[in-house]
Amino acid sequence: MTAASLAVFVVFFLSGFSALVYQVVWQRSLFAIYGINLESVTVVVTAFMLGLGLGSLAGGALSKDPKRPVLLMFAAVEAGIGAFGLVSLSLFHHVGMATLRLPSLVTALVTFVLVLAPTLLMGSTLPLLTAHLVRRSGNVGKSVGVLYFVNTLGSALASIAAVLWLLPRLGQARSVVAAAIVNLVAASIVGGFALVERRREHRA
Amino acid sequence: MSFSLSLWVAGLAGFVALSYEIIWYRAYGVVSRSMPTTFGLLLGAYLAGVAAGSLGSRAFCHDDARLERRRLLPVAAFVYLANLASFLVVPALARLVTSVRWQLSLPLVALSAGLLGAVLPLASHFGIRPDDRAGARLSYLYVANIVGSSLGSLVTGFVLLEHLSLRGASVALSLAGLALFALLGVSATSTVRGRAAVLGASAATLVATVAASGPAFEQLHERLFFRKQFTADKRFEHLIENRHGVIAVTDGKVYGGGVYDGILNVGLRHDPNWVFRAYALAAYHPAPKRVLMVGLASGAWARILAGLPGVERLTVVEINPGYLELIPKIPEVAPLLKDPKIEIVIDDGRRWIQRHPDARWDAIVMNTTWHWRGHSTNLLSAEFFELVRARLAPGGVFTFNTTLSEAVMKTAAVTFPYAQRMYNFMVVSDSPVAFDKARWKTTLTEYRMDGAPLLDPEHDAWDKKRLDDLLYLPDTLDRPPVWEGLESRESLLARFGHLPTVTDDNMWCEWHPSDLEEEDLSPRELDEPVVVEPFHERVEVRAGHLGRDVELVGDRLRDGVERGAPRARQRAPRGDADLVEREVELGVEIEQHARAVAEHGEQHPRVGDDGHAAQRLTSGGARRVST
């Protein structure tokens, strides 16, 4: 395994970690605004999944062109997630308060829109990195398997860490800041590798 | 595998996996008493399993095997095993928790999720060519998986759990899993015989699953609820399962989601659930015309509040409509559904209040759940208190159950300029808060429940003592603070002002269950502690201010479990809701004994479980009387 591949896996682990921290915190934040009855919970969870699905389509579409710098795109996506994370709770609060009295269907739509941008970005990461690895290994199953493993492992640890450590000690706002820092670190690492790789390719 | 087949596999796998996650969360919610860590731990185990499954699936991803039909067989085998393991998680959990902690069952979740999690990478490998379009095709597969997951969430959450029990929903999911197995198995074989074998195996497994589900799910909720205290003779009198949760009734106690919700009692003669706190609203407000109550549960409080002097309208917001099915079955509370004063709304309490900005109430009452349960912050934070404050009419009071969270008491005391603690309740307002002793006496003596007085002090010695004890309540305000009494805002802030304010952000009450220091509020001021030496148990008892309503504060060891009130709570695992039940049981037990003593004199022979220790307790001391 090359240093670049290792970096990709480490970064994707961090990406999965921060994504789950966001999910846990955002869910709680949105439940406080829109309620914790089953309908609200379903809207929030479904909005998350649909956002991830659409993001996956977007990432897949972007990765079709073999000339596109998927690693750099991934770095940009991570930076975007982190940037959104930093303003997310404030945004949720203000939009939530402004729309709370609207009909349920409208608030469901608002919830969907609120989480659409970050989940689109999150959903796009797997296809982008898969495209990157397949270009090198030529094996889809192994590439997806390892990526999925590290990303999901990061999410699993984040899920446990969120309820045992992050939320009890940091609360929601500071947990989100911590997740955003992780995103920005991930973006820096993979962006750095991508730039080095591009220089090498240009030299070659 | 064709790409279209891999899309179906990914979609169905997502459907089954997320559906099972919802089923598991329902069971784990009950068994863990809805602790705030439950979701994270379950999801962590689930995702760890998925991660391991995806890694393990690499062993089947051979470059030369992608186009071979028979290579689908391992995928089919994964699906079959995943389905079997997933189906068994809930019954296995129910059996494990009768002897070990529920967290130890999480590896079962990881194993099942791991088998399910292997399916997506395998479907990707066998369905996607390793070319420049791999990323794009993977995205379609991923979308199919997410669409399946979303549908699983909707179908299982809204339909299956609404109309089926956990057993029925599990069998239905098993059917879906077997359909996926059959799809893969048939695709993996090219002969008629092979396909017939796959279909036959699927049908046989389904029949076996249905047949085994009866014994496997027998007394499932009783096991999940009673855990180590489960015995075969324990059965719920009422059990309501719907998409909002599980409501169970046993021994006159109501449990929602595995947590004590209340006792089916509206009277004061036997008051193990301190229902006098509902009547006490009359002492704090002369005529609360419009009353809002958040949380209906068994309905005892709503029934009482609607009958208080001056109440013209009682609006109750309840999140689980299942209680409306339960209440008609309980004679003590059934009349409330026909009370024209009472309006019941099914909604999230906080959201409903937020959506009614122009409404004002003379009293807002919440006898809601334990502060350490997940999402309790939504009703106990400073932000919520400010919301309630804005909805109070001039002179209005907000009274709610802190479930003995000191941080919640402090939060209420700093949010409102006027505050008072009454037992585990806070009574707060923008106007001065005062307990009116005259109105209290009037309420206790003149209130009629179904036409009958609450107490008959002139003809019943026990009732007279009860009345005396209840009338003594406001006098406790001038004495050193005890939990079984009143306490001023100043005293509360002096004792708990150093604690953090509970906010939506820090969710303090959920992560920091009450850790009462007995010394802080020792009832020694009223009665010295006494030690009873029973035959089989050591019980230290101490009389509370209510005399015969003795609070058990010591250790009571039975079946290796500590029982008792505040001190036991300290020693038990944080947030262990079993204590709630034990506490209530003891309250009933002690009160029954005290009443018997009042009726039959000091020689009345028993309090205790199983014919074991018998103690008699009085406000002045305790003596063992018999076994």
Side-chain angles (χ1 to χ4, degrees):
Chain A
M1 185 183 289
T2 63
S5 297
L6 182 64
V8 164
F9 293 137
V10 169
V11 160
F12 211 36
F13 173 88
L14 296 175
S15 175
F17 186 94
S18 67
L20 234 291
V21 172
Y22 287 130
Q23 183 173 349
V24 171
V25 176
W26 289 346
Q27 280 187 183
R28 290 218 49 146
S29 173
L30 291 168
F31 291 164
I33 298 168
Y34 294 117
I36 55 164
N37 51 345
L38 186 67
E39 290 77 6
S40 300
V41 172
T42 304
V43 165
V44 172
V45 171
T46 306
F48 261 93
M49 287 195 289
L50 286 176
L52 290 172
L54 290 174
S56 173
L57 283 176
L62 286 171
S63 69
K64 276 180 187 173
D65 185 348
K67 291 176 185 170
R68 282 197 176 124
V70 285
L71 270 191
L72 271 181
M73 291 165 78
F74 176 85
V77 163
E78 284 295 315
I81 295 169
F84 183 91
L86 290 173
V87 298
S88 58
L89 291 184
S90 175
L91 180 69
F92 289 175
H93 178 75
H94 286 103
V95 174
M97 288 300 107
T99 58
L100 185 66
R101 289 162 208 155
L102 298 175
S104 299
L105 196 62
V106 179
T107 56
L109 194 64
V110 170
T111 305
F112 178 74
V113 171
L114 277 176
V115 298
L116 185 64
T119 50
L120 267 173
L121 294 174
M122 289 174 191
S124 69
T125 54
L126 183 60
L128 287 175
L129 285 193
T130 300
H132 168 75
L133 287 185
V134 168
R135 285 176 195 175
R136 276 152 182 76
S137 72
N139 183 309
V140 176
K142 287 183 178 174
S143 302
V144 174
V146 177
L147 280 176
Y148 203 54
F149 168 71
V150 296
N151 189 249
T152 312
L153 190 65
S155 297
L157 289 178
S159 182
I160 294 167
V163 296
L164 293 185
W165 191 76
L166 286 173
L167 286 176
R169 296 185 187 207
L170 301 181
Q172 294 182 13
R174 286 191 292 169
S175 293
V176 160
V177 170
I181 291 171
V182 170
N183 285 128
L184 297 175
V185 168
S188 305
I189 293 173
V190 84
F193 269 100
L195 289 174
V196 169
E197 239 177 45
R198 277 173 75 85
R199 276 184 199 156
R200 277 187 196 151
E201 284 169 7
H202 282 304
R203 281 179 198 158
Chain B
M1 187 193 296
S2 69
F3 186 62
S4 59
L5 177 61
S6 65
L7 285 175
W8 276 103
V9 171
L12 266 171
F15 180 93
V16 172
L18 207 83
S19 295
Y20 269 121
E21 193 188 359
I22 289 174
I23 298 275
W24 296 338
Y25 185 54
R26 166 64 58 85
Y28 274 93
V30 172
V31 82
S32 71
R33 315 313 196 211
S34 311
M35 295 283 284
T37 52
T38 307
F39 176 72
L41 294 178
L42 178 66
L43 186 60
Y46 181 90
L47 291 173
V50 169
S54 65
L55 191 66
S57 69
R58 297 180 72 208
F60 298 89
C61 296
H62 303 294
D63 291 342
D64 56 346
R66 202 174 57 81
L67 298 175
E68 291 178 23
R69 267 178 109 90
R70 293 177 60 188
R71 286 293 178 181
L72 286 179
L73 281 174
V75 189
F78 263 104
V79 169
Y80 186 87
L81 291 174
N83 195 42
L84 190 64
S86 301
F87 177 80
L88 291 174
V89 165
V90 171
L93 168 69
R95 278 158 179 76
L96 278 173
V97 295
T98 60
S99 53
V100 298
R101 294 174 68 85
W102 64 269
Q103 290 90 338
L104 295 177
S105 67
L106 287 173
L108 292 176
V109 170
L111 173 68
S112 304
L115 292 166
L116 286 167
V119 175
L120 183 62
L122 289 173
S124 306
H125 181 75
F126 291 115
I128 299 175
R129 293 173 188 279
D131 55 23
D132 284 339
R133 290 179 56 82
R137 291 199 180 95
L138 175 74
S139 71
Y140 301 143
L141 225 66
Y142 193 43
V143 167
N145 188 254
I146 284 175
V147 168
S149 300
S150 301
L151 283 175
S153 166
L154 292 170
V155 171
T156 304
F158 278 90
V159 181
L160 295 185
L161 289 181
E162 178 67 11
H163 300 290
L164 300 175
S165 61
L166 270 182
R167 174 192 170 189
S170 297
V171 170
L173 287 182
S174 183
L175 175 62
L178 286 170
L180 177 58
F181 164 71
L183 179 67
L184 281 166
V186 167
S187 302
T189 54
S190 53
T191 63
V192 173
R193 182 179 292 180
R195 291 179 174 178
V198 168
L199 293 175
S202 303
T205 306
L206 180 62
V207 170
T209 301
V210 172
S213 65
F217 285 77
E218 175 71 12
Q219 290 180 281
L220 180 88
H221 284 289
E222 284 85 351
R223 291 175 193 274
L224 294 176
F225 176 78
F226 288 109
R227 302 194 299 201
K228 291 178 185 174
Q229 282 77 44
F230 172 80
T231 52
D233 61 332
K234 287 191 171 166
R235 287 184 184 276
F236 289 128
E237 296 152 29
H238 301 286
L239 183 68
I240 294 172
E241 291 184 75
N242 62 22
R243 67 181 196 267
H244 302 280
V246 181
I247 301 167
V249 179
T250 178
D251 293 332
K253 294 167 221 159
V254 182
Y255 297 87
V259 180
Y260 170 74
D261 245 356
I263 290 182
L264 298 168
N265 169 55
V266 294
L268 294 178
R269 282 199 178 96
H270 313 285
D271 190 11
N273 51 334
W274 292 349
V275 80
F276 73 85
R277 295 166 301 172
Y279 293 98
L281 176 62
Y284 283 106
H285 197 293
K289 289 182 183 175
R290 285 170 49 83
V291 180
L292 171 68
M293 185 171 167
V294 178
L296 173 67
S298 65
W301 276 61
R303 240 209 117 192
I304 293 165
L305 292 175
L308 287 178
V311 174
E312 296 175 359
R313 185 76 171 164
L314 171 63
T315 303
V316 186
V317 185
E318 169 59 53
I319 201 166
N320 188 344
Y323 288 105
L324 297 180
E325 290 178 47
L326 173 68
I327 287 171
K329 300 173 183 170
I330 313 296
E332 291 94 330
V333 291
L336 78 87
L337 294 180
K338 293 176 183 171
D339 190 330
K341 285 185 189 174
I342 301 176
E343 173 197 18
I344 298 172
V345 179
I346 300 301
D347 202 344
D348 176 271
R350 178 166 170 161
R351 182 176 69 169
W352 192 85
I353 294 173
Q354 277 177 323
R355 293 179 83 153
H356 290 76
D358 300 325
R360 294 292 180 274
W361 290 278
D362 299 305
I364 298 177
V365 181
M366 290 197 326
N367 185 21
T368 41
T369 194
W370 299 92
H371 63 272
W372 40 256
R373 284 184 83 177
H375 302 289
S376 66
T377 300
N378 289 359
L379 296 179
L380 298 173
S381 66
E383 290 88 345
F384 178 71
F385 292 163
E386 287 289 0
L387 174 66
V388 168
R389 190 179 173 194
R391 301 292 187 272
L392 286 177
V397 296
F398 171 40
T399 176
F400 70 96
N401 198 338
T402 66
T403 61
L404 289 179
S405 166
E406 304 95 329
V408 170
M409 293 176 200
K410 182 253 177 153
T411 302
V414 297
T415 306
F416 288 85
Y418 299 97
Q420 195 171 95
R421 181 181 61 77
M422 173 184 60
Y423 276 59
N424 52 3
F425 260 62
M426 286 296 290
V427 184
V428 291
S429 176
D430 276 337
S431 303
V433 170
F435 191 105
D436 188 303
K437 194 169 182 178
R439 276 206 308 274
W440 182 224
K441 184 174 184 181
T442 304
T443 303
L444 294 174
T445 53
E446 295 185 5
Y447 192 104
R448 295 291 182 272
M449 179 64 71
D450 297 324
L454 299 171
L455 298 166
D456 184 11
E458 293 186 5
H459 301 97
D460 187 307
W462 168 255
D463 280 13
K464 182 168 189 321
K465 285 171 184 163
R466 289 287 300 149
L467 181 62
D468 291 344
D469 289 340
L470 289 167
L471 289 175
Y472 180 69
L473 176 61
D475 295 338
T476 58
L477 187 60
D478 304 322
R479 308 194 63 162
V482 292
W483 286 122
E484 302 76 17
L486 306 185
E487 184 175 4
S488 68
R489 178 175 184 265
E490 292 68 29
S491 172
L492 284 167
L493 289 176
R495 296 196 301 125
F496 306 131
H498 64 284
L499 293 173
T501 298
V502 179
T503 65
D504 285 348
D505 185 72
N506 67 25
M507 303 164 284
W508 181 268
C509 56
E510 296 181 37
W511 310 111
H512 301 85
S514 175
D515 192 16
L516 296 175
E517 286 297 329
E518 187 188 346
E519 289 72 18
D520 287 351
L521 274 179
S522 170
R524 283 195 184 94
E525 303 294 336
L526 298 172
D527 295 289
E528 285 299 309
V530 289
V531 176
V532 177
E533 293 292 341
F535 295 108
H536 299 284
E537 300 167 290
R538 174 182 175 275
V539 179
E540 182 180 340
V541 295
R542 183 173 297 151
H545 86 277
L546 292 184
R548 270 64 61 188
D549 282 343
V550 177
E551 176 193 19
L552 183 87
V553 294
D555 302 335
R556 183 187 183 92
L557 299 174
R558 192 186 67 157
D559 302 331
V561 180
E562 283 186 333
R563 303 179 61 171
R567 195 197 294 175
R569 179 182 291 108
Q570 275 182 262
R571 292 178 181 176
R574 283 171 174 253
D576 186 343
D578 278 353
L579 281 172
V580 175
E581 182 201 2
R582 294 181 204 125
E583 207 174 319
V584 172
E585 278 179 358
L586 282 166
V588 173
E589 175 186 302
I590 292 170
E591 185 177 291
Q592 283 172 347
H593 170 70
R595 184 165 189 269
V597 169
E599 288 175 352
H600 304 290
E602 294 191 352
Q603 294 309 309
H604 183 76
R606 56 157 292 126
V607 165
D609 299 336
D610 311 326
H612 287 174
Q615 309 89 36
R616 63 175 305 276
L617 319 167
T618 73
S619 59
R623 281 152 285 184
R624 188 179 68 204
V625 291
S626 181
T627 56

